[in-house]
Amino acid sequence: MQLFETMKLEDGYIYREDYHLKRLTKSSEQLKFNFDQQHWYDLTQLIKTTYTNGKYRLKLTLEKNGQLNYVLAPVADKTTFTARLVQRSHLVNESIIVNKTSERRYLEHSHETDLILLYDEAGKILEFDIGNIMIEEGNEWYTPCYNDDFLRGCMRQSLIDQGKLKTKDIKIDEFKKKIQRKQINVYLINSLREVADVKIYL
């Protein structure tokens, strides 16, 4: 198993780098990974000074022994996604859910839609398979409250810290009704895409 962070690198700048470092540090402590922050600083500095032009998807992986690796890829120009609702199994280990690890089988799907939107047994809307959910209703923007039940994304946290995003739970039945009545707009938020429109297929 690896820990990893997926970030937006543009013209030599890594967006929300401090948030990613903080999350990786916390996960490595929780899962007993050997992690030296100085290795992170050395590697990201090398990446930033090497790739000073263009926009990339930067994936940093951490091995249990502390080895850091990275992969760069172009960012596809996709701004709208489709998603369907899927109930998440209650058998998934909490440590896998709340940390960004390579153990992601519980997020696999057939890709009939681009994404899946997960909800729990109690009907609480949780997250997409590649990021958090943001809902626009009236003049408010909100995202589910965190209760050790999904991955806290760096984009989500940065928007909360800026006062742009509130936390409020929503149940699946209410969510479906508001989608059908066109009372809400739904967005994917993650550190790579930042904010993307999502069309929910009910």
Side-chain angles (χ1 to χ4, degrees), residues 109-190:
H109 61 102
S110 63
H111 289 279
E112 298 167 44
T113 52
D114 299 314
L115 313 172
I116 53 173
L117 177 56
L118 300 172
Y119 61 96
D120 66 14
E121 289 182 302
K124 176 187 173 183
I125 298 292
L126 299 170
E127 62 181 336
F128 291 110
D129 54 308
I130 64 167
N132 294 121
I133 181 172
M134 181 171 72
I135 296 171
E136 177 189 13
E137 184 173 16
N139 295 319
E140 288 194 349
W141 303 77
Y142 63 93
T143 192
C145 301
Y146 179 73
N147 190 29
D148 296 320
D149 50 1
F150 56 82
L151 180 68
R152 284 187 288 187
C154 296
M155 186 67 188
R156 173 187 180 274
Q157 193 59 51
S158 69
L159 290 173
I160 290 171
D161 290 346
Q162 294 170 54
K164 296 179 178 178
L165 187 60
K166 298 178 180 179
T167 56
K168 182 177 76 170
D169 287 342
I170 185 170
K171 297 291 188 176
I172 186 170
D173 291 340
E174 179 187 4
F175 180 78
K176 287 180 177 179
K177 287 176 183 176
K178 289 185 175 182
I179 288 288
Q180 290 168 337
R181 295 169 182 168
K182 299 182 179 179
Q183 294 174 323
I184 58 175
N185 294 314
V186 179
Y187 302 90
L188 162 73
I189 50 173
N190 66 27

Coordinates of all heavy atoms in Angstrom, one line a residue, residues 109-190:
H109 N -15.6 1.3 -10.4 CA -17.0 1.3 -11.0 C -16.9 1.0 -12.5 O -15.8 1.1 -13.1 CB -17.8 2.5 -10.7 CG -17.2 3.8 -11.2 ND1 -17.7 4.4 -12.3 CD2 -16.2 4.6 -10.7 CE1 -17.0 5.6 -12.5 NE2 -16.1 5.7 -11.6
S110 N -18.0 0.8 -13.1 CA -18.1 0.4 -14.5 C -17.9 1.6 -15.5 O -17.7 1.4 -16.7 CB -19.4 -0.2 -14.8 OG -20.5 0.7 -14.6
H111 N -17.9 2.8 -15.0 CA -17.8 4.0 -15.8 C -18.9 4.2 -16.8 O -18.7 4.7 -17.9 CB -16.4 4.1 -16.5 CG -15.3 4.3 -15.5 ND1 -15.0 5.6 -15.1 CD2 -14.4 3.5 -14.9 CE1 -14.0 5.5 -14.2 NE2 -13.6 4.2 -14.0
E112 N -20.1 3.7 -16.5 CA -21.3 4.1 -17.2 C -21.4 5.6 -17.2 O -21.9 6.3 -18.1 CB -22.5 3.5 -16.6 CG -22.5 2.0 -16.7 CD -23.6 1.4 -15.8 OE1 -24.7 1.9 -15.8 OE2 -23.3 0.4 -15.0
T113 N -21.0 6.2 -16.1 CA -20.9 7.7 -15.9 C -19.4 7.9 -15.6 O -18.7 7.0 -15.2 CB -21.8 8.2 -14.8 OG1 -21.5 7.4 -13.6 CG2 -23.2 8.1 -15.2
D114 N -19.0 9.2 -15.7 CA -17.6 9.5 -15.4 C -17.3 9.2 -14.0 O -16.2 8.8 -13.7 CB -17.4 11.0 -15.7 CG -17.6 11.4 -17.1 OD1 -17.1 10.7 -18.0 OD2 -18.2 12.5 -17.3
L115 N -18.2 9.5 -13.1 CA -18.0 9.5 -11.6 C -19.1 8.7 -11.0 O -20.1 8.4 -11.5 CB -18.0 10.9 -11.0 CG -17.2 12.0 -11.7 CD1 -17.5 13.3 -11.0 CD2 -15.7 11.7 -11.6
I116 N -18.8 8.3 -9.7 CA -19.9 7.8 -8.8 C -19.9 8.7 -7.6 O -18.9 9.2 -7.2 CB -19.7 6.3 -8.4 CG1 -18.3 6.1 -7.8 CG2 -19.9 5.4 -9.6 CD1 -18.1 4.7 -7.2
L117 N -21.1 9.0 -7.1 CA -21.3 9.8 -5.9 C -21.8 8.8 -4.8 O -22.8 8.2 -4.9 CB -22.4 10.8 -6.2 CG -22.8 11.7 -5.0 CD1 -21.5 12.4 -4.4 CD2 -23.8 12.7 -5.4
L118 N -20.9 8.7 -3.8 CA -21.2 7.7 -2.7 C -22.1 8.3 -1.6 O -22.0 9.5 -1.3 CB -19.9 7.3 -2.1 CG -18.9 6.6 -3.1 CD1 -17.5 6.4 -2.4 CD2 -19.4 5.3 -3.6
Y119 N -22.9 7.4 -1.1 CA -23.7 7.7 0.1 C -23.6 6.5 1.1 O -23.3 5.4 0.6 CB -25.1 8.1 -0.2 CG -25.9 7.0 -0.9 CD1 -26.7 6.1 -0.2 CD2 -25.9 6.7 -2.3 CE1 -27.5 5.1 -0.8 CE2 -26.6 5.7 -2.9 CZ -27.4 4.9 -2.1 OH -28.1 3.9 -2.7
D120 N -23.9 6.7 2.3 CA -23.7 5.7 3.3 C -25.1 5.0 3.6 O -26.1 5.3 3.0 CB -23.1 6.2 4.6 CG -23.9 7.2 5.4 OD1 -25.1 7.3 5.1 OD2 -23.3 7.8 6.3
E121 N -25.0 4.0 4.5 CA -26.2 3.2 4.8 C -27.4 4.1 5.4 O -28.5 3.7 5.2 CB -25.9 2.1 5.8 CG -25.1 1.0 5.2 CD -24.8 -0.1 6.2 OE1 -24.2 0.2 7.2 OE2 -25.2 -1.3 5.9
A122 N -27.0 5.2 6.0 CA -28.0 6.1 6.6 C -28.5 7.0 5.6 O -29.4 7.8 5.9 CB -27.4 6.8 7.8
G123 N -28.0 7.0 4.3 CA -28.5 7.9 3.3 C -27.7 9.2 3.2 O -28.1 10.1 2.5
K124 N -26.6 9.4 4.0 CA -25.9 10.6 3.9 C -25.0 10.7 2.6 O -24.3 9.7 2.3 CB -25.0 10.7 5.1 CG -24.1 12.0 5.1 CD -23.1 11.9 6.3 CE -22.0 13.1 6.1 NZ -21.0 13.0 7.2
I125 N -25.1 11.8 1.9 CA -24.3 12.0 0.7 C -22.8 12.2 1.2 O -22.6 13.0 2.2 CB -24.7 13.2 -0.1 CG1 -26.1 13.0 -0.6 CG2 -23.7 13.5 -1.2 CD1 -26.2 11.9 -1.7
L126 N -21.9 11.5 0.6 CA -20.5 11.5 1.1 C -19.5 12.3 0.2 O -19.1 13.4 0.5 CB -20.0 10.1 1.3 CG -20.8 9.3 2.4 CD1 -20.3 7.8 2.3 CD2 -20.6 9.9 3.8
E127 N -19.2 11.6 -0.9 CA -18.1 12.1 -1.8 C -18.2 11.5 -3.2 O -18.8 10.4 -3.3 CB -16.7 11.9 -1.2 CG -16.4 10.4 -1.0 CD -15.1 10.2 -0.4 OE1 -14.2 11.0 -0.5 OE2 -14.9 9.1 0.2
F128 N -17.5 12.1 -4.2 CA -17.3 11.4 -5.4 C -16.1 10.5 -5.3 O -15.3 10.6 -4.4 CB -17.0 12.4 -6.5 CG -18.2 13.3 -6.9 CD1 -18.3 14.6 -6.5 CD2 -19.3 12.7 -7.6 CE1 -19.3 15.4 -6.9 CE2 -20.4 13.5 -7.9 CZ -20.4 14.9 -7.5
D129 N -15.9 9.6 -6.3 CA -14.7 8.7 -6.3 C -13.4 9.4 -6.5 O -12.4 8.9 -6.2 CB -14.9 7.6 -7.3 CG -15.2 8.1 -8.7 OD1 -16.1 8.9 -8.9 OD2 -14.5 7.7 -9.7
I130 N -13.4 10.7 -7.1 CA -12.2 11.4 -7.3 C -12.2 12.8 -6.6 O -11.4 13.6 -7.0 CB -11.8 11.5 -8.8 CG1 -12.9 12.4 -9.5 CG2 -11.7 10.2 -9.4 CD1 -12.5 12.8 -10.9
G131 N -13.1 13.0 -5.7 CA -13.1 14.3 -5.1 C -14.3 14.5 -4.2 O -15.2 13.7 -4.1
N132 N -14.4 15.6 -3.6 CA -15.5 16.0 -2.7 C -16.6 16.6 -3.5 O -16.5 17.0 -4.7 CB -15.1 17.0 -1.6 CG -14.1 16.4 -0.6 OD1 -13.0 16.8 -0.5 ND2 -14.5 15.3 0.0
I133 N -17.8 16.7 -2.9 CA -18.9 17.3 -3.5 C -19.2 18.7 -3.0 O -19.0 18.9 -1.8 CB -20.2 16.4 -3.3 CG1 -21.4 17.0 -4.1 CG2 -20.5 16.2 -1.9 CD1 -22.7 16.1 -4.1
M134 N -19.6 19.6 -3.9 CA -20.0 20.9 -3.5 C -21.4 21.2 -4.1 O -21.6 20.9 -5.2 CB -19.0 22.0 -3.9 CG -19.4 23.4 -3.5 SD -18.1 24.6 -3.9 CE -18.1 24.7 -5.7
I135 N -22.3 21.7 -3.3 CA -23.7 21.9 -3.7 C -24.0 23.4 -3.6 O -23.7 24.0 -2.6 CB -24.6 21.1 -2.8 CG1 -24.4 19.6 -3.0 CG2 -26.1 21.5 -3.2 CD1 -25.1 18.7 -2.0
E136 N -24.5 23.9 -4.7 CA -25.0 25.3 -4.7 C -26.5 25.3 -4.6 O -27.2 24.7 -5.4 CB -24.6 26.0 -6.0 CG -25.0 27.4 -6.2 CD -24.8 27.9 -7.6 OE1 -24.5 27.1 -8.5 OE2 -24.9 29.2 -7.8
E137 N -27.0 26.1 -3.6 CA -28.4 26.2 -3.4 C -28.7 27.7 -3.0 O -28.2 28.1 -2.0 CB -28.9 25.3 -2.3 CG -30.4 25.3 -2.1 CD -30.9 24.3 -1.2 OE1 -30.1 23.7 -0.4 OE2 -32.2 24.0 -1.2
G138 N -29.4 28.4 -3.8 CA -29.6 29.8 -3.6 C -28.3 30.5 -3.7 O -27.6 30.4 -4.7
N139 N -27.9 31.3 -2.7 CA -26.7 32.0 -2.7 C -25.7 31.3 -1.8 O -24.7 31.9 -1.4 CB -26.9 33.4 -2.2 CG -27.7 34.2 -3.2 OD1 -27.5 34.0 -4.4 ND2 -28.6 35.0 -2.7
E140 N -25.9 30.0 -1.4 CA -25.0 29.3 -0.5 C -24.3 28.2 -1.2 O -24.8 27.6 -2.2 CB -25.8 28.8 0.7 CG -26.2 29.8 1.7 CD -26.7 29.2 3.0 OE1 -26.9 27.9 3.1 OE2 -26.9 29.9 4.0
W141 N -23.1 27.9 -0.7 CA -22.3 26.7 -1.2 C -22.0 25.9 0.0 O -21.5 26.4 1.0 CB -21.0 27.2 -1.8 CG -21.2 28.2 -3.0 CD1 -21.5 29.5 -2.9 CD2 -21.2 27.9 -4.4 NE1 -21.7 30.1 -4.1 CE2 -21.4 29.1 -5.0 CE3 -20.9 26.8 -5.1 CZ2 -21.4 29.2 -6.4 CZ3 -20.9 26.8 -6.5 CH2 -21.1 28.1 -7.1
Y142 N -22.3 24.6 -0.1 CA -22.0 23.7 1.1 C -21.5 22.3 0.6 O -21.7 21.9 -0.5 CB -23.2 23.7 2.0 CG -24.5 23.0 1.4 CD1 -24.8 21.7 1.6 CD2 -25.4 23.8 0.8 CE1 -25.9 21.1 1.1 CE2 -26.6 23.3 0.2 CZ -26.8 21.9 0.4 OH -28.0 21.4 -0.1
T143 N -21.0 21.7 1.6 CA -20.4 20.3 1.4 C -20.7 19.5 2.7 O -20.9 20.1 3.7 CB -18.9 20.4 1.2 OG1 -18.4 19.2 0.7 CG2 -18.1 20.9 2.4
P144 N -20.8 18.2 2.6 CA -21.1 17.4 3.8 C -20.2 17.6 5.0 O -19.0 17.9 4.8 CB -21.0 16.0 3.3 CG -21.3 16.1 1.8 CD -20.7 17.3 1.4
C145 N -20.7 17.5 6.2 CA -19.9 17.6 7.4 C -19.0 16.3 7.5 O -19.5 15.3 7.1 CB -20.8 17.6 8.6 SG -21.9 19.1 8.7
Y146 N -17.8 16.5 8.0 CA -16.9 15.4 8.1 C -17.1 14.7 9.4 O -17.1 15.3 10.5 CB -15.5 15.9 8.0 CG -14.4 14.8 8.1 CD1 -14.2 13.9 7.1 CD2 -13.7 14.7 9.3 CE1 -13.3 12.9 7.2 CE2 -12.7 13.7 9.4 CZ -12.5 12.8 8.4 OH -11.6 11.9 8.5
N147 N -17.3 13.4 9.4 CA -17.4 12.6 10.6 C -16.6 11.3 10.4 O -17.1 10.2 10.6 CB -18.9 12.3 10.8 CG -19.1 11.6 12.2 OD1 -18.4 11.9 13.1 ND2 -20.1 10.8 12.3
D148 N -15.3 11.4 10.0 CA -14.5 10.2 9.7 C -15.1 9.3 8.7 O -15.0 8.1 8.8 CB -14.2 9.5 11.0 CG -13.4 10.3 12.0 OD1 -12.4 11.0 11.5 OD2 -13.6 10.3 13.2
D149 N -15.8 9.9 7.7 CA -16.6 9.0 6.8 C -16.3 9.3 5.3 O -16.9 8.8 4.4 CB -18.1 9.1 7.1 CG -18.6 10.6 7.1 OD1 -17.8 11.5 7.0 OD2 -19.8 10.8 7.4
F150 N -15.3 10.1 5.0 CA -14.8 10.3 3.7 C -13.5 11.0 3.7 O -12.9 11.3 4.8 CB -15.8 11.2 2.8 CG -16.2 12.5 3.4 CD1 -15.3 13.6 3.2 CD2 -17.3 12.7 4.1 CE1 -15.6 14.9 3.7 CE2 -17.7 14.0 4.6 CZ -16.8 15.0 4.4
L151 N -12.9 11.2 2.5 CA -11.6 11.8 2.4 C -11.7 13.3 2.4 O -12.4 13.8 1.5 CB -10.8 11.3 1.2 CG -9.4 11.9 1.0 CD1 -8.5 11.4 2.0 CD2 -8.9 11.6 -0.4
R152 N -11.1 14.0 3.3 CA -11.1 15.4 3.4 C -10.1 16.0 2.3 O -8.9 15.9 2.5 CB -10.7 16.0 4.7 CG -11.9 15.8 5.8 CD -11.6 16.5 7.1 NE -10.5 15.8 7.8 CZ -10.2 16.1 9.0 NH1 -10.7 17.1 9.7 NH2 -9.3 15.3 9.7
G153 N -10.7 16.5 1.2 CA -9.9 17.0 0.2 C -9.2 18.4 0.5 O -9.8 19.1 1.3
C154 N -8.1 18.6 -0.2 CA -7.4 19.9 0.0 C -8.1 21.1 -0.5 O -8.1 22.1 0.1 CB -6.0 19.7 -0.6 SG -5.0 18.5 0.3
M155 N -8.8 20.9 -1.7 CA -9.6 22.0 -2.2 C -10.8 22.3 -1.3 O -11.1 23.5 -1.1 CB -10.1 21.6 -3.6 CG -10.8 22.7 -4.4 SD -9.7 24.1 -4.8 CE -10.8 25.3 -5.4
R156 N -11.4 21.3 -0.8 CA -12.5 21.4 0.1 C -12.1 22.2 1.3 O -12.7 23.2 1.7 CB -13.1 20.1 0.5 CG -14.1 20.1 1.6 CD -14.5 18.7 2.1 NE -15.5 18.7 3.1 CZ -15.2 18.8 4.4 NH1 -14.0 18.9 4.8 NH2 -16.2 18.7 5.3
Q157 N -11.0 21.8 1.9 CA -10.5 22.5 3.1 C -10.1 23.9 2.9 O -10.4 24.8 3.7 CB -9.4 21.7 3.8 CG -9.0 22.2 5.2 CD -10.2 22.0 6.1 OE1 -10.8 21.0 6.2 NE2 -10.5 23.1 6.8
S158 N -9.5 24.2 1.7 CA -9.1 25.6 1.4 C -10.3 26.5 1.3 O -10.2 27.6 1.7 CB -8.2 25.6 0.2 OG -8.9 25.3 -1.0
L159 N -11.3 26.0 0.6 CA -12.5 26.8 0.5 C -13.2 27.0 1.8 O -13.8 28.1 2.0 CB -13.5 26.1 -0.5 CG -13.1 26.0 -2.0 CD1 -14.0 25.2 -2.8 CD2 -13.0 27.4 -2.6
I160 N -13.2 26.0 2.7 CA -13.8 26.2 4.0 C -13.0 27.3 4.8 O -13.5 28.2 5.4 CB -13.8 24.9 4.8 CG1 -14.9 23.9 4.2 CG2 -14.1 25.1 6.3 CD1 -14.8 22.5 4.7
D161 N -11.7 27.2 4.7 CA -10.8 28.1 5.4 C -11.0 29.5 4.9 O -10.8 30.5 5.7 CB -9.3 27.7 5.3 CG -9.0 26.4 6.1 OD1 -9.9 26.0 6.9 OD2 -8.0 25.8 5.8
Q162 N -11.3 29.7 3.6 CA -11.5 31.0 3.0 C -12.9 31.5 3.3 O -13.2 32.7 3.0 CB -11.3 30.9 1.5 CG -9.9 30.7 1.1 CD -9.8 30.4 -0.4 OE1 -10.3 31.2 -1.2 NE2 -9.2 29.2 -0.8
G163 N -13.7 30.7 4.0 CA -15.1 31.2 4.3 C -16.0 31.1 3.1 O -17.2 31.7 3.1
K164 N -15.6 30.4 2.0 CA -16.4 30.3 0.8 C -17.4 29.1 0.8 O -18.3 29.0 0.0 CB -15.5 30.3 -0.4 CG -14.7 31.5 -0.6 CD -13.8 31.4 -1.9 CE -13.0 32.7 -2.1 NZ -12.1 32.6 -3.3
L165 N -17.1 28.2 1.7 CA -17.9 26.9 1.7 C -18.3 26.5 3.1 O -17.5 26.6 4.0 CB -16.9 25.8 1.1 CG -17.5 24.4 0.8 CD1 -18.7 24.5 -0.2 CD2 -16.4 23.5 0.3
K166 N -19.6 26.2 3.3 CA -20.1 25.8 4.5 C -20.3 24.3 4.6 O -20.3 23.7 3.5 CB -21.5 26.5 4.8 CG -21.4 28.0 4.9 CD -22.7 28.7 5.1 CE -22.7 30.2 5.1 NZ -24.0 30.8 5.3
T167 N -20.4 23.8 5.8 CA -20.7 22.3 5.9 C -22.1 22.1 6.4 O -22.6 22.8 7.3 CB -19.7 21.7 6.9 OG1 -19.8 22.4 8.2 CG2 -18.3 21.8 6.4
K168 N -22.7 21.2 5.7 CA -24.1 20.8 6.0 C -24.4 19.5 5.4 O -24.1 19.3 4.2 CB -25.1 21.9 5.5 CG -26.6 21.6 5.8 CD -27.5 22.7 5.3 CE -27.7 22.7 3.8 NZ -28.8 23.6 3.3
D169 N -25.0 18.6 6.1 CA -25.3 17.3 5.6 C -26.6 17.3 4.7 O -27.5 18.1 4.9 CB -25.5 16.2 6.7 CG -24.2 15.9 7.3 OD1 -23.1 16.1 6.7 OD2 -24.2 15.3 8.5
I170 N -26.6 16.4 3.8 CA -27.8 16.2 3.0 C -28.1 14.7 2.8 O -27.2 14.0 2.5 CB -27.7 17.0 1.6 CG1 -29.1 16.9 0.9 CG2 -26.6 16.5 0.8 CD1 -29.1 17.8 -0.4
K171 N -29.3 14.3 2.9 CA -29.7 12.9 2.7 C -30.1 12.7 1.3 O -30.5 13.6 0.5 CB -30.9 12.6 3.6 CG -30.6 12.7 5.1 CD -29.6 11.6 5.6 CE -29.5 11.6 7.1 NZ -28.6 10.5 7.5
I172 N -29.9 11.4 0.9 CA -30.1 11.1 -0.5 C -31.5 11.4 -1.0 O -31.6 11.8 -2.2 CB -29.7 9.6 -0.7 CG1 -29.8 9.3 -2.2 CG2 -30.6 8.6 0.1 CD1 -29.2 7.9 -2.6
D173 N -32.5 11.1 -0.2 CA -33.9 11.4 -0.7 C -34.1 12.9 -1.0 O -34.7 13.3 -2.0 CB -34.9 10.9 0.3 CG -35.0 9.4 0.4 OD1 -34.5 8.7 -0.6 OD2 -35.5 8.8 1.4
E174 N -33.6 13.7 -0.1 CA -33.7 15.2 -0.3 C -32.9 15.6 -1.5 O -33.3 16.4 -2.2 CB -33.3 15.9 1.0 CG -33.3 17.4 1.0 CD -32.7 18.0 2.2 OE1 -32.1 17.3 3.0 OE2 -32.7 19.3 2.2
F175 N -31.7 15.0 -1.6 CA -30.8 15.3 -2.7 C -31.5 15.0 -4.0 O -31.5 15.9 -5.0 CB -29.5 14.5 -2.5 CG -28.5 14.8 -3.6 CD1 -27.7 15.9 -3.6 CD2 -28.3 13.8 -4.6 CE1 -26.7 16.1 -4.6 CE2 -27.4 14.0 -5.6 CZ -26.6 15.2 -5.6
K176 N -32.1 13.9 -4.2 CA -32.8 13.5 -5.4 C -33.9 14.5 -5.7 O -34.1 14.9 -6.9 CB -33.3 12.1 -5.3 CG -32.2 11.0 -5.3 CD -32.9 9.6 -5.2 CE -31.9 8.5 -5.3 NZ -32.5 7.2 -5.2
K177 N -34.7 14.8 -4.7 CA -35.8 15.7 -5.0 C -35.3 17.1 -5.5 O -35.9 17.7 -6.4 CB -36.6 15.9 -3.7 CG -37.5 14.7 -3.3 CD -38.2 14.9 -2.0 CE -39.0 13.7 -1.6 NZ -39.6 13.8 -0.2
K178 N -34.3 17.6 -4.8 CA -33.8 18.9 -5.2 C -33.1 18.9 -6.6 O -33.2 19.8 -7.4 CB -32.8 19.4 -4.2 CG -33.5 19.8 -2.9 CD -32.5 20.4 -1.9 CE -33.2 20.9 -0.6 NZ -32.3 21.5 0.3
I179 N -32.5 17.7 -7.0 CA -32.0 17.6 -8.3 C -33.2 17.6 -9.3 O -33.1 18.3 -10.4 CB -31.2 16.3 -8.5 CG1 -29.9 16.3 -7.7 CG2 -31.0 15.9 -10.0 CD1 -28.8 17.2 -8.3
Q180 N -34.2 16.8 -9.1 CA -35.3 16.7 -10.0 C -36.1 18.1 -10.1 O -36.5 18.4 -11.2 CB -36.3 15.7 -9.5 CG -35.8 14.2 -9.6 CD -36.6 13.2 -8.9 OE1 -37.3 13.5 -7.9 NE2 -36.5 12.0 -9.3
R181 N -36.1 18.9 -9.1 CA -36.8 20.2 -9.1 C -35.8 21.3 -9.5 O -36.2 22.4 -9.6 CB -37.3 20.5 -7.7 CG -38.4 19.5 -7.2 CD -38.7 19.8 -5.8 NE -39.7 18.8 -5.3 CZ -40.0 18.6 -4.0 NH1 -39.4 19.3 -3.1 NH2 -41.0 17.8 -3.6
K182 N -34.6 20.9 -9.8 CA -33.6 21.9 -10.3 C -33.3 23.0 -9.3 O -33.2 24.1 -9.6 CB -33.9 22.4 -11.7 CG -34.0 21.4 -12.7 CD -34.3 21.9 -14.1 CE -34.4 20.9 -15.2 NZ -34.7 21.4 -16.5
Q183 N -33.4 22.6 -8.0 CA -33.2 23.5 -6.9 C -31.7 23.7 -6.5 O -31.3 24.6 -5.8 CB -34.0 23.1 -5.7 CG -35.5 23.2 -5.9 CD -36.2 22.6 -4.7 OE1 -35.8 21.6 -4.1 NE2 -37.4 23.2 -4.4
I184 N -30.9 22.7 -7.0 CA -29.5 22.8 -6.6 C -28.6 22.5 -7.8 O -29.1 21.9 -8.8 CB -29.1 21.7 -5.5 CG1 -29.5 20.3 -6.0 CG2 -29.8 22.1 -4.2 CD1 -29.0 19.2 -5.0
N185 N -27.4 23.0 -7.8 CA -26.3 22.6 -8.8 C -25.3 21.9 -8.0 O -25.0 22.1 -6.9 CB -25.7 23.9 -9.4 CG -26.8 24.7 -10.2 OD1 -27.5 24.1 -11.0 ND2 -26.8 26.0 -10.0
V186 N -24.7 20.9 -8.7 CA -23.7 20.0 -8.1 C -22.4 20.1 -8.8 O -22.3 20.2 -10.0 CB -24.2 18.6 -8.1 CG1 -23.2 17.6 -7.5 CG2 -25.6 18.4 -7.5
Y187 N -21.3 20.1 -7.9 CA -19.9 20.3 -8.5 C -19.0 19.3 -7.8 O -19.2 18.9 -6.7 CB -19.4 21.7 -8.2 CG -20.3 22.8 -8.7 CD1 -21.3 23.4 -8.0 CD2 -20.0 23.3 -10.0 CE1 -22.1 24.4 -8.5 CE2 -20.8 24.3 -10.5 CZ -21.9 24.8 -9.8 OH -22.7 25.8 -10.3
L188 N -18.0 18.9 -8.6 CA -16.9 18.1 -8.1 C -15.8 19.1 -7.7 O -15.5 20.1 -8.5 CB -16.3 17.2 -9.2 CG -14.9 16.7 -9.1 CD1 -14.9 15.6 -8.0 CD2 -14.4 16.2 -10.4
I189 N -15.3 19.0 -6.5 CA -14.1 19.8 -6.1 C -12.9 18.9 -5.8 O -13.1 18.0 -5.0 CB -14.4 20.8 -5.0 CG1 -15.1 20.1 -3.8 CG2 -15.3 21.9 -5.5 CD1 -15.3 21.0 -2.6
N190 N -11.8 19.1 -6.4 CA -10.6 18.5 -6.0 C -9.4 19.4 -6.3 O -9.6 20.4 -7.0 CB -10.4 17.1 -6.5 CG -10.3 17.0 -8.0 OD1 -9.8 18.0 -8.7 ND2 -10.6 15.9 -8.6

